[in-house]
Amino acid sequence: MRVIGHRGCPTLAPENTLAAFRAAADRLDWVELDVRRCASGELVVFHDETLDRLTEATGRVADATLPELRVLRVGDSEESIPTLSEVFETLPDDVAVNVELKESGLAAALADVVAATRHEALVSSFDADALREVREATALPIAYLCSTDWDGAIRVATELGCLALHPHYDLLSAERVAEAHDAGLELNAWTVLDSETAERLREWGVDGVIVDDPTIGTENSKRGAR
């Protein structure tokens, strides 16, 4: 079962920062990150639509230019908001990346960034239109994110030609894991907060877990076993 560092390793460093991804790369084979576009056009790695929760600034990320974002610090740290290109450059080539698109219209820019790297990449989103754009513009594998409506999620993921479905772990049961696999979908469950849940999902046959704490579920991870 793969173990994917949710926004890097936020238990060790502020989420979606280069420090978090460096920490994750020392421990895990996969990381997950969030991507949106800033006002000057670059793809930046930041979860929220607004800056309010994680920085001293307010307002939408989409309304700030990259130079304006550069001067901000994430949480109480000295870490800044990175671009997607910077994250790929920071990670070792053998660390795979789950890129979650927070909005549509990013497929072409994403393809340009990924083409310049050697990393394995998987693109996920709650936004079916964003995934459809990726499917039409690139050969990158895609995954549909869901937190409710299991039957609808299976249908959307199948119609989009997804490699995987990324459900909240509370949606899953042994029967649903089997149903997804029968539909040709891998399952990466989010966000798993304890080892007991991770072990139950492993027993059910879930393919991957997305975690905040890199010690959860890493018994069979290459890096986690070190």
Side-chain angles (χ1 to χ4, degrees):
M1 183 174 70
R2 70 180 65 92
V3 181
I4 305 168
H6 182 231
R7 308 179 196 173
C9 277
T11 59
L12 302 178
E15 66 178 61
N16 279 325
T17 63
L18 295 183
F21 296 120
R22 291 189 190 100
D26 287 340
R27 296 161 173 84
L28 302 174
D29 300 318
W30 278 80
V31 299
E32 183 266 359
L33 52 80
D34 304 286
V35 171
R36 54 179 71 252
R37 195 191 298 275
C38 67
S40 49
E42 294 86 358
L43 299 185
V44 294
V45 179
F46 199 80
H47 177 272
D48 297 1
E49 183 179 359
T50 67
L51 297 162
D52 304 47
R53 177 176 68 92
L54 289 171
T55 78
E56 66 273 24
T58 60
R60 299 169 66 239
V61 175
D63 294 334
T65 65
L66 185 59
E68 290 169 336
L69 294 175
R70 289 284 194 206
V71 302
L72 303 179
R73 293 296 174 261
V74 180
D76 296 327
S77 75
E78 292 303 311
E79 292 293 311
S80 60
I81 299 170
T83 66
L84 181 60
S85 294
E86 288 169 342
V87 175
F88 274 111
E89 290 165 2
T90 294
L91 290 170
D93 288 346
D94 64 343
V95 173
V97 183
N98 174 189
V99 178
E100 181 184 337
L101 299 183
K102 306 305 290 184
E103 56 195 54
S104 60
L106 306 183
L110 172 65
D112 288 343
V113 172
V114 174
T117 79
R118 299 176 62 184
H119 298 84
E120 179 183 353
L122 172 66
V123 184
S124 64
S125 186
F126 287 98
D127 186 335
D129 289 336
L131 293 177
R132 190 172 293 107
E133 291 169 356
V134 172
R135 171 59 74 202
E136 293 172 352
T138 79
L140 293 169
I142 57 176
Y144 184 56
L145 275 155
C146 64
S147 59
T148 59
D149 188 11
W150 172 259
D151 292 338
I154 290 279
R155 182 176 62 255
V156 171
T158 302
E159 290 173 352
L160 288 171
C162 289
L163 171 69
L165 181 64
H166 289 191
H168 189 274
Y169 70 86
D170 272 345
L171 280 179
L172 292 177
S173 63
E175 292 74 19
R176 285 183 168 181
V177 172
E179 179 185 0
H181 287 165
D182 287 344
L185 297 167
E186 296 182 10
L187 286 174
N188 296 312
W190 58 273
T191 299
V192 178
L193 302 178
D194 59 78
S195 295
E196 291 77 13
T197 300
E199 183 56 32
R200 181 171 70 252
L201 295 171
R202 189 198 304 275
E203 291 172 356
W204 289 346
V206 167
D207 302 279
V209 289
I210 299 171
V211 301
D212 286 340
D213 180 346
T215 66
I216 292 173
T218 54
E219 292 83 357
N220 296 324
S221 169
K222 179 180 69 178
R223 284 176 166 77
R226 291 179 181 174

